[in-house]
Amino acid sequence: MDIRLVAEGPWRFRIEQTGAMRAPGVVLSPRELLPDEPGDQALQQVANVATLPGIVRASYAMPDIHWGYGFPIGGVAATDIAHGGVISPGGVGFDISCGVRLLTAHVDRTALLPKLPVLMDRLDVMIPRGLGRGGLWHLAGRAQLHEILCGGARYAIEQGRGVPRDLERCEDGGAVDDADVTQVGERALERGAGQVGSLGSANHFLEVQAVDAIYDEPCARAFGLRPGLVCVMIHCGSRGLGHQICADHVRAMDTVMRRYGIEVPDPQLACVPVDSPEGRAYLGAMAAAANFARANRQLLAEAARSVFLEATGAGLDLLYDVSHNLAKLERHTDNGAAQHLLCIHRKGATRTLPPGHPDLPDALRPLGQPVFVPGTMGTASYVMTGSTGNRAFDSCCHGAGRVWSRHRAHREMSAGQLRRELVDAGVAVRPASWRSITEEAPEAYKDVDAVVRASEHNNLGRLVARLVPLGVLKG
């Protein structure tokens, strides 16, 4: 497909509608953040997504866009269910409901720093991480796993793994209600059974941070943020269970989509109508994986709470927990007219509800939904909040976004060089393996400062606070 990229200003580009595209592509990024690795197909993927049946408005890309499976990472697309709109697992990704949870500590940076080495050592021992490693929750059996897949963080808290207030600060109140465990395959169940309460590998982490700057004082105060305050950010998802669900349902859709008269330019975009047996099956399985991810982050937060209390005497309060790999059925308006129910794919993109939205808890409703934008080891992360008039279906970026492939990062960065960089930056890192985390070196990612500036310029959200790392656990 011929990609015709047209600048619409310094902060966004348009991919003109050509060929089989049913809508234009909109890339909400300045030129310097566009993908430029040789052979990178992320922009082609934006155009490919625009060919999906029922797509509404545009195929969007966030400023952290990079090459993904089917959809680009940082891709957002809505399809109109009543007009043949489809659902595509590639628009959610393999790590279903991967997301970020931020907790605020009852301690400031100055008081924490003398205790940081002991804190990080204890977290290092406590938190399972790495490829295929075990979890914190040793389940009683398959029935308890089913409870987690149906109840998410709600079930975890019922079992004493948290406090009721946590649910007020979780997307969907801590669980998606329409999970269907019967649509989760046996291999997925096997892979997930031993991983509840674990970080995994790659870009997942638990990071101890401090508030470095405030941009919106009233909002920061309402979020419980102030300069110097210590926070804990947790980034992880549904582990092997979510990966297997994605793989299983991509195969199932690939075998039937031609029966629905659907052709796609990339087999990784396998899809079916949302309101079809296969579409409903995927939605049910995806919701179960989302609940696994919510429970997973809940268990990790509880472990962090216990270590913090033991090592520092300080407690941790949940600010918010939100996913960035999910498809949701939502109602949106266009030019003041009510639309049909839409299926919003957000892959590497965070839902960011505007101020006044009824789905927000009372304490946050006047301010909008918190959004967390992690940087990389040694760089800042950001807290943002929702803004009114977000044309990308109330979606925002989810992180810095890769610029190097993992293979290139291994070639360019040695473990020793990375270790020295982080020591010089004053960041205490506890990796599962120094060699494995070279692929997560700061140089492998875009400038997160530029990503959040682009997000704010494109009205994807408002900046609230900047956080800097003190200590990082990596898989």
Side-chain angles (χ1 to χ4, degrees):
M1 190 184 300
D2 182 25
I3 300 294
R4 301 178 187 175
L5 195 64
V6 178
E8 294 191 323
W11 299 99
R12 61 183 277 154
F13 288 82
R14 183 180 185 87
I15 298 176
E16 294 289 358
Q17 188 174 336
T18 60
M21 293 172 68
R22 303 170 193 260
V26 175
V27 185
L28 299 166
S29 168
R31 186 173 296 278
E32 62 267 24
L33 293 179
L34 293 178
D36 65 355
E37 277 279 282
D40 189 289
Q41 295 293 306
L43 295 179
Q44 179 66 64
Q45 289 184 319
V46 176
N48 289 348
V49 169
T51 70
L52 292 178
I55 190 166
V56 174
R57 200 178 293 171
S59 168
Y60 288 96
M62 302 292 105
D64 51 335
I65 176 180
H66 53 292
W67 195 0
Y69 180 91
F71 274 55
I73 299 168
V76 175
T79 64
D80 190 331
I81 298 170
H83 291 83
V86 296
I87 186 162
S88 172
V92 173
F94 284 96
D95 196 0
I96 296 169
S97 198
C98 184
V100 180
R101 161 175 294 224
L102 187 68
L103 302 107
T104 57
H106 304 168
V107 65
D108 284 349
R109 175 178 186 162
T110 302
L112 177 73
L113 284 178
K115 304 172 184 177
L116 184 64
V118 170
L119 174 69
M120 295 306 300
D121 286 344
R122 291 182 181 176
L123 286 169
D124 190 19
V125 171
M126 172 70 81
I127 303 296
R129 60 200 191 277
L131 189 64
R133 301 289 175 87
L136 289 164
W137 201 344
H138 303 290
L139 304 182
R142 185 60 58 86
Q144 191 168 41
L145 177 58
H146 286 190
E147 294 280 5
I148 289 169
L149 298 181
C150 292
R154 295 178 197 165
Y155 177 71
I157 289 169
E158 288 171 6
Q159 300 301 302
R161 312 274 183 151
V163 295
R165 181 188 177 278
D166 291 344
L167 297 181
E168 299 172 12
R169 296 305 183 94
C170 287
E171 181 183 13
D172 304 314
V176 182
D177 290 330
D178 53 357
D180 186 350
V181 178
T182 67
Q183 303 301 331
V184 179
E186 180 62 28
R187 178 59 182 144
L189 295 171
E190 290 174 358
R191 294 182 68 180
Q195 294 184 329
V196 187
S198 62
L199 275 179
S201 57
N203 62 344
H204 299 136
F205 62 81
L206 185 153
E207 187 165 293
V208 180
Q209 305 169 330
V211 178
D212 181 62
I214 298 293
Y215 305 103
D216 184 329
E217 178 66 38
C219 191
R221 190 183 316 115
F223 285 179
L225 301 173
R226 64 177 185 274
L229 183 74
V230 171
C231 300
V232 174
M233 183 176 282
I234 299 171
H235 173 213
C236 66
S238 51
R239 300 297 322 271
L241 178 136
H243 192 285
Q244 191 66 48
I245 285 173
C246 179
D248 290 346
H249 285 266
V250 166
R251 283 195 298 271
M253 291 184 187
D254 186 60
T255 63
V256 301
M257 65 177 175
R258 288 165 189 80
R259 182 192 309 162
Y260 295 105
I262 297 172
E263 293 186 9
V264 291
D266 180 351
Q268 294 180 356
L269 286 175
C271 58
V272 293
V274 176
D275 194 18
S276 67
E278 297 83 6
R280 290 190 294 272
Y282 173 69
L283 283 171
M286 181 198 69
N291 289 339
F292 184 99
R294 310 308 174 63
N296 190 26
R297 291 194 289 274
Q298 183 68 35
L299 265 289
L300 291 167
E302 276 301 283
R305 279 172 168 154
S306 68
V307 172
F308 252 78
L309 192 61
E310 179 186 356
T312 72
L316 295 173
D317 294 327
L318 179 59
L319 172 53
Y320 205 69
D321 179 297
V322 65
S323 302
H324 52 236
N325 281 358
L326 211 56
K328 304 193 82 159
L329 306 187
E330 302 174 1
R331 293 193 181 274
H332 286 257
T333 59
D334 208 9
N335 299 322
Q339 282 192 336
H340 291 102
L341 188 64
L342 304 180
C343 178
I344 314 292
H345 299 76
R346 295 186 181 95
K347 180 188 184 174
T350 309
R351 184 188 72 164
T352 173
L353 300 179
H357 198 284
D359 288 352
L360 289 171
D362 292 344
L364 300 179
R365 191 168 298 139
L367 309 160
Q369 181 204 290
V371 174
F372 308 123
V373 187
T376 65
M377 297 177 297
T379 69
S381 297
Y382 285 85
V383 178
M384 301 182 72
T385 193
S387 56
T388 302
N390 182 329
R391 291 282 294 166
F393 301 102
D394 295 330
S395 307
C396 191
C397 61
H398 88 304
R402 294 194 74 90
V403 291
W404 289 356
S405 69
R406 299 186 188 282
H407 291 300
R408 179 179 174 185
H410 280 301
R411 290 197 310 270
E412 301 269 355
M413 177 66 63
S414 70
Q417 181 183 353
L418 178 59
R419 189 197 299 254
R420 287 190 296 274
E421 283 187 11
L422 294 170
V423 168
D424 290 344
V427 181
V429 179
R430 301 294 188 272
S433 160
W434 274 103
R435 184 183 182 282
S436 67
I437 68 164
T438 55
E439 64 189 38
E440 297 301 312
E443 292 83 353
Y445 284 83
K446 298 180 184 182
D447 178 356
V448 70
D449 301 339
V451 168
V452 296
R453 283 198 303 271
S455 297
E456 191 164 53
H457 274 279
N458 281 298
N459 195 37
L460 303 179
R462 306 191 326 271
L463 284 170
V464 177
R466 182 177 191 263
L467 312 177
V468 293
L470 304 178
V472 185
L473 287 187
K474 293 286 288 188

